[in-house]
Amino acid sequence: MAEIVQQRIENRIPELEQLERVGLFSKKEVKSMLKRATALEYKLHRLIITKVDFIAYIQYEINVLELIKKRRSRIGYQFKREEIEYSIISRINSIFRRATTKWKDDVQLWLSHIAFCKKWNTKAQLSKVFSSMLAIHPEKPALWIMAAKSELEDRNLSESARHLFLRALRFHPESKKVYQEYFRMELLHAEKLRKQQKELEQAEMDLVRYEFSPEIMSGKLAELMLMVFSVLSTGADFILSLLTIAAIFDFTKELQDTIIQDLQSKYTDDSLTWDFMAKRELEATVGEELQTAKGRASDIARREERCCQVYEEGLNGLNTEAMWACYVSFCLERFKRKTNVQELKEKIFFSADLIGQKTNVCKHSHISLHTMSGWMRISCNGSFLLCSQRGLLSVVPAVSMEIKEKYLDWSYRAGGYKKARKTFTSLHESRPFSKAFFTRMIQMEKNQLRWSLRTVYGFFPPDLWLEYIREELGPSGQPENCGMIHWRAMKMLEGESVERFTAQYTLLQTGHI
């Protein structure tokens, strides 16, 4: 072991002599570095070595690199890099390789090595690290994507990046993320070639000796990939994700049209298709009439009407919960923008009411909650009351509890404390209810100049009776009422709730809580 360590230390001597000779480090500093390096080398040759030892050694060497960089900048000396920095970088790469060989499964260790290579611009080494890592971790799609991006962005090797993506697809033929990033890579490569061609043309250089394939620069490879994806029946969400990627580039008009045609022809049984097509109507081009406020309002009204027509067309053939959810969400979003279209306002209420009916039948809660939450924030009294009744009577507990809370909040905003008090009285015995329902009413009571919790606490869940007693023991309460509250709690609570309340009440009396 000693011989190996000694050999490694001797290999450092030319590098350390250069550091002292050019004035980057003093003789004392070089001696200290030699001593520190010897200690770190011995740690890596013990019988039992740890990952921490390797990381400490790597970090020390990186710190030395950073210090050399600062001192070069300070004294203005930029020579002898091959003898100094390159030697240190090579040693760090060697330590990383030893570490990743011993701890192959530690992906973070591999990624640290990759980060080091990128920072210190060792591109050839970077490719080797990726290759070794993928040989051990081919089951991770994210690593394949990272490696391919590195080949394109760091080394400008599009063919190598394409090769990596094709290998990734052999390991992960069903990974949508790999397909998406491969698609993006082809478009990025096309954009890069287009920019290069434009720069050469502006410089009036001869383009004959440069290879600029019209098919690649126009995104034909990406279009070919789209044909392959279509055969895989990946779903409307995936096709829309490709459309989003294509829309980033300004030369993909034909490609986007192809994607939209594919979406309309193969995925009409998906609500996302109709949702996209409807919202697309809002982005339609307009004429000169937008120069006036009246013209703009008229154009927005026409666009909203076209959106509704597309949604209704979709509902004719796809009368599903997901389709209704898309339509209702659109209507609520446009209503919050204070649309002037009366027909759209009516559609909002009509849709919300129908989806409430459908929710009760299907026993699904998420659409009802979403619809009612938005509806309560924007609707008028009459429409809200009719629509909320369906949510309050829902057979799904989560729906009923959520609607009660929202209904109470809406009552307080619409009619103040008195209306909220009336709403609470009408709902407090309609199970199920949540703790939040009671605590919100308590807060409303406390906001009054003369407030009393007596009527609120009469119907409390078990864990709030003790809070009632605490309120009466407080500066604004009446301690003499505590006995009556305890009696009422014991009378109304049942089973384990009685035992829990009794235990907490005892702790309160003895000063332990």
Side-chain angles (χ1 to χ4, degrees), residues 300-302 304-305 339-346:
I300 291 173
R302 285 198 299 270
E304 290 177 337
E305 183 57 35
T339 178
N340 293 321
V341 183
Q342 182 60 36
E343 292 80 3
L344 181 59
K345 294 180 181 179
E346 294 174 359

Side-chain angles (χ1 to χ4, degrees), residues 64-76:
V64 171
L65 273 178
E66 295 285 359
L67 184 56
I68 292 172
K69 182 179 179 182
K70 290 180 180 179
R71 292 193 177 182
R72 279 187 180 278
S73 177
R74 188 181 67 190
I75 67 175

Side-chain angles (χ1 to χ4, degrees), residues 453-472:
L453 300 179
R454 185 173 292 109
T455 52
V456 181
Y457 279 91
F459 311 100
F460 267 5
D463 56 340
L464 290 182
W465 282 99
L466 200 66
E467 188 175 332
Y468 186 7
I469 294 175
R470 282 177 175 162
E471 290 286 348
E472 293 291 10

Side-chain angles (χ1 to χ4, degrees), residues 291-312:
Q291 298 300 321
T292 65
K294 185 177 180 180
R296 287 192 294 271
S298 176
D299 179 72
I300 291 173
R302 285 198 299 270
R303 293 189 192 190
E304 290 177 337
E305 183 57 35
R306 287 197 295 267
C307 288
C308 290
Q309 290 173 359
V310 174
Y311 277 117
E312 288 164 8

Side-chain angles (χ1 to χ4, degrees), residues 228 267 415 476 496:
V228 175
Y267 300 99
S476 302
E496 294 181 359

Side-chain angles (χ1 to χ4, degrees), residues 398 400-409 424 432-445 456 459-461 463-464 467:
S400 180
M401 289 190 292
E402 177 80 5
I403 298 304
K404 287 185 180 72
E405 296 167 20
K406 299 294 184 182
Y407 193 8
L408 187 62
D409 291 339
F424 175 82
F433 44 66
S434 63
K435 180 179 177 180
F437 176 68
F438 289 93
T439 54
R440 289 182 186 181
M441 190 63 224
I442 290 170
Q443 190 57 48
M444 294 174 192
E445 291 280 0
V456 181
F459 311 100
F460 267 5
D463 56 340
L464 290 182
E467 188 175 332

Side-chain angles (χ1 to χ4, degrees), residues 8-199:
R8 292 185 186 278
I9 295 302
E10 288 178 1
N11 291 339
R12 285 174 172 264
I13 292 177
E15 161 198 323
L16 295 172
E17 287 177 345
Q18 287 287 2
L19 285 172
E20 183 181 353
R21 186 180 301 118
V22 301
L24 289 171
F25 285 84
S26 66
K27 186 175 182 178
K28 183 179 180 181
E29 287 175 323
V30 168
K31 186 176 180 180
S32 176
M33 290 170 64
L34 193 61
K35 183 178 179 180
R36 176 64 173 155
T38 303
L40 290 168
E41 277 289 353
Y42 270 111
K43 282 188 176 181
L44 298 192
H45 290 84
R46 295 181 299 189
L47 290 176
I48 300 176
I49 56 177
T50 65
K51 195 188 307 181
V52 174
D53 294 331
F54 279 90
I55 293 173
Y57 198 171
I58 292 168
Q59 189 58 58
Y60 169 74
E61 295 287 8
I62 291 175
N63 291 341
V64 171
L65 273 178
E66 295 285 359
L67 184 56
I68 292 172
K69 182 179 179 182
K70 290 180 180 179
R71 292 193 177 182
R72 279 187 180 278
S73 177
R74 188 181 67 190
I75 67 175
Y77 183 82
Q78 303 300 329
F79 304 101
K80 301 292 182 180
R81 290 185 179 276
E82 186 173 347
E83 293 89 340
I84 299 174
E85 280 93 338
Y86 293 175
S87 175
I88 298 174
I89 290 172
S90 177
R91 185 164 54 251
I92 293 173
N93 281 323
S94 177
I95 299 170
F96 263 122
R97 283 195 298 271
R98 291 162 64 188
T100 51
T101 299
K102 188 171 182 60
W103 292 282
K104 295 182 176 68
D105 294 334
D106 190 339
V107 176
Q108 188 57 50
L109 196 58
W110 288 100
L111 295 179
S112 297
H113 193 183
I114 290 168
F116 171 78
C117 293
K118 286 189 174 184
K119 182 172 182 180
W120 295 96
N121 201 28
T122 56
K123 294 181 180 179
Q125 183 66 33
L126 179 62
S127 185
K128 292 178 181 178
V129 175
F130 270 120
S131 180
S132 299
M133 180 180 65
L134 291 174
I136 296 170
H137 298 283
E139 78 286 356
K140 294 179 170 59
L143 299 183
W144 287 99
I145 293 170
M146 187 185 300
K149 283 185 175 181
S150 176
E151 290 296 299
L152 181 66
E153 298 169 4
D154 299 325
R155 306 188 66 201
N156 197 27
L157 298 176
S158 59
E159 196 61 38
S160 179
R162 189 176 294 114
H163 178 66
L164 279 169
F165 271 120
L166 290 173
R167 286 182 60 198
L169 289 174
R170 285 200 291 270
F171 283 97
H172 306 282
E174 297 181 358
S175 174
K176 292 183 178 180
K177 187 63 177 176
V178 174
Y179 284 112
Q180 289 167 346
E181 293 305 322
Y182 187 11
F183 185 75
R184 190 195 306 272
M185 186 276 292
E186 291 293 356
L187 293 176
L188 282 170
H189 179 51
E191 183 181 47
K192 185 177 293 186
L193 290 178
R194 293 170 69 90
K195 287 181 179 179
Q196 289 176 357
Q197 185 184 45
K198 185 177 180 180
E199 290 171 359

